[in-house]
Amino acid sequence: MKQNFGSNAVSITHSAWRIVVGFLFACHGAASLFGILGGHPGLNGGAIPFGIWPYWWGAVIQLVGGSLVALGLFTRVTALICSGSMAFAYFSVHLKNGILPIQNEGELAALYAWQFLMITAVGPGRWALDTILHKSIDKSTTATPEKEQTYAPV
């Protein structure tokens, strides 16, 4: 079935958005865990010491979760975990400094929490390992071809 330009653009943008959000989130985790890319901001560019709760564990979620979301692997579950970790960061670290994100420097935590919640809701998109793996599993287990699913905004 031939797709029109609008649905193709939505599909490409959807996947590109997921890849960019995941990649940027993984960069935050790498910076905090390894002291690269400017390091952890609270440590003047250094790395978070091993096992420090909740910062080190949050950085692990950022690195692993961001990488998995960028690849589109276990996307919905991973995005939900990433969203929850950013909501936890907002409410446990930022909220005590003010209610609004602009007051408490929690803009990134709030944005990431909502971005990952949206990824959880809409899924990985066409360019994702989840999509590729499901198509290959469907082909090997069913005899009839299935229609290609497309994302349509509600």
Side-chain angles (χ1 to χ4, degrees):
M1 182 158 109
K2 188 175 180 180
Q3 291 185 341
N4 64 22
F5 173 76
S7 65
N8 198 31
V10 167
S11 177
I12 292 168
T13 305
H14 175 196
S15 293
W17 160 66
R18 175 194 42 82
I19 292 165
V20 169
V21 169
F23 172 73
L24 293 175
F25 200 59
C27 286
H28 279 282
S32 295
L33 288 174
F34 307 118
I36 59 174
L37 305 171
H40 185 70
L43 299 174
N44 296 319
I48 298 171
F50 178 80
I52 300 296
W53 174 259
Y55 304 103
W56 187 85
W57 296 99
V60 170
I61 291 172
Q62 290 173 344
L63 179 61
V64 175
S67 298
L68 289 173
V69 167
L71 292 170
L73 190 59
F74 310 115
T75 308
R76 288 181 184 225
V77 171
T78 304
L80 185 61
I81 292 167
C82 292
S83 177
S85 74
M86 288 293 96
F88 176 82
Y90 185 81
F91 289 111
S92 67
V93 175
H94 298 284
L95 191 60
K96 62 186 171 195
N97 298 323
I99 292 176
L100 297 175
I102 196 73
Q103 294 173 311
N104 61 29
E105 299 179 357
E107 299 97 335
L108 277 178
L111 282 171
Y112 275 124
W114 285 103
Q115 293 284 320
F116 283 117
L117 191 61
M118 185 68 173
I119 292 170
T120 301
V122 300
R126 187 189 311 172
W127 296 349
L129 290 179
D130 283 340
T131 305
I132 294 167
L133 292 173
H134 284 127
K135 283 183 181 180
S136 66
I137 289 170
D138 288 344
K139 285 180 183 178
S140 67
T141 59
T142 61
T144 59
E146 294 186 23
K147 292 181 183 178
E148 182 178 324
Q149 292 180 339
T150 58
Y151 168 76
V154 180

